């Protein structure tokens, strides 16, 4: 099984959640320590960046092994990630440790902001939860 941590539009009810199709066989609420969450300029999607002392709330999906390669290609395309050219990618696919309700830590794939992203303090989502972020500003 593979694990995917989603913190934005891939979460249940998000505008891209249907991309997961039948590949995900389980979903649980999860938290990723050491990440900060920022909105983009229009407030339509988020970026997560490694930041000590912050945390991001999201969904941990368990994905069937045989479905992972096709799902990974779809997600890489959505997220603008090219493993051959990470320096020019919009997001980077990385492994990150996440925790679900009192359970042991789980290593999961997550898409983090690519090298061109520059965090702006006025776009920080203090609560660390895209769904509970409040009004777009």
């Amino acid at each position: 099984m593979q694990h995917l941590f989603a913190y934005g539009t891939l979460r249940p009810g998000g505008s891209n959640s249907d991309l997961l199709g039948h590949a995900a066989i389980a979903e649980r609420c999860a938290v990723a320590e050491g990440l900060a969450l920022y909105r983009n300029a229009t407030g339509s999607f988020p970026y997560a960046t490694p930041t000590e002392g912050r945390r991001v709330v999201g969904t941990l999906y368990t994905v069937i092994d045989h479905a992972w390669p096709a799902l990974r290609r779809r997600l890489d395309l959505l997220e603008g990630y090219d493993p051959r050219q990470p320096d020019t990618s919009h997001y980077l696919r990385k492994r990150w440790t996440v925790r679900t309700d009192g359970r042991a830590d789980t290593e999961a794939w997550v898409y983090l902001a690519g090298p061109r992203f520059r965090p702006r303090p006025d776009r920080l989502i203090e609560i660390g939860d895209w769904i509970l972020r409040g009004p777009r500003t």
Side-chain angles (χ1 to χ4, degrees), residues 5 7 32-40 46-57 90-92 94 96 110-121 123-125 128:
F5 178 71
Y7 55 83
E33 298 289 341
L35 294 178
L37 195 62
Y38 293 86
R39 61 177 40 98
N40 71 331
Y47 294 96
T49 63
T51 308
E52 198 167 316
R54 292 278 181 188
R55 65 184 216 136
V56 170
V57 176
H90 194 76
Y91 285 88
L92 300 174
K94 300 281 189 179
W96 203 267
V110 62
Y111 287 87
L112 301 177
R116 296 179 295 168
F117 177 73
R118 300 292 175 254
R120 287 184 35 180
R123 294 187 185 154
L124 176 67
I125 300 170

Side-chain angles (χ1 to χ4, degrees), residues 5-133:
F5 178 71
Y7 55 83
T9 65
L10 289 168
R11 289 178 73 183
S15 60
N16 289 308
S17 62
D18 60 332
L19 287 177
L20 292 158
H22 298 292
I25 58 168
E27 60 185 60
R28 298 186 303 248
C29 292
V31 173
E33 298 289 341
L35 294 178
L37 195 62
Y38 293 86
R39 61 177 40 98
N40 71 331
T42 64
S44 57
F45 61 88
Y47 294 96
T49 63
T51 308
E52 198 167 316
R54 292 278 181 188
R55 65 184 216 136
V56 170
V57 176
T59 301
L60 179 67
Y61 291 103
T62 301
V63 179
I64 304 166
D65 276 334
H66 72 270
W68 176 245
L71 177 61
R72 184 187 65 226
R73 285 189 297 275
R74 285 194 307 269
L75 295 176
D76 284 355
L77 185 62
L78 171 72
E79 306 293 8
Y81 173 64
D82 183 346
R84 297 167 307 216
Q85 298 180 340
D87 292 343
T88 60
S89 291
H90 194 76
Y91 285 88
L92 300 174
R93 181 172 24 90
K94 300 281 189 179
R95 302 287 284 166
W96 203 267
T97 302
V98 299
R99 176 165 288 162
T100 58
D101 298 328
R103 297 184 187 183
D105 292 344
T106 301
E107 287 292 310
W109 292 107
V110 62
Y111 287 87
L112 301 177
R116 296 179 295 168
F117 177 73
R118 300 292 175 254
R120 287 184 35 180
D122 63 323
R123 294 187 185 154
L124 176 67
I125 300 170
E126 290 279 346
I127 194 169
D129 189 325
W130 180 248
I131 292 174
L132 300 178
R133 68 192 179 281

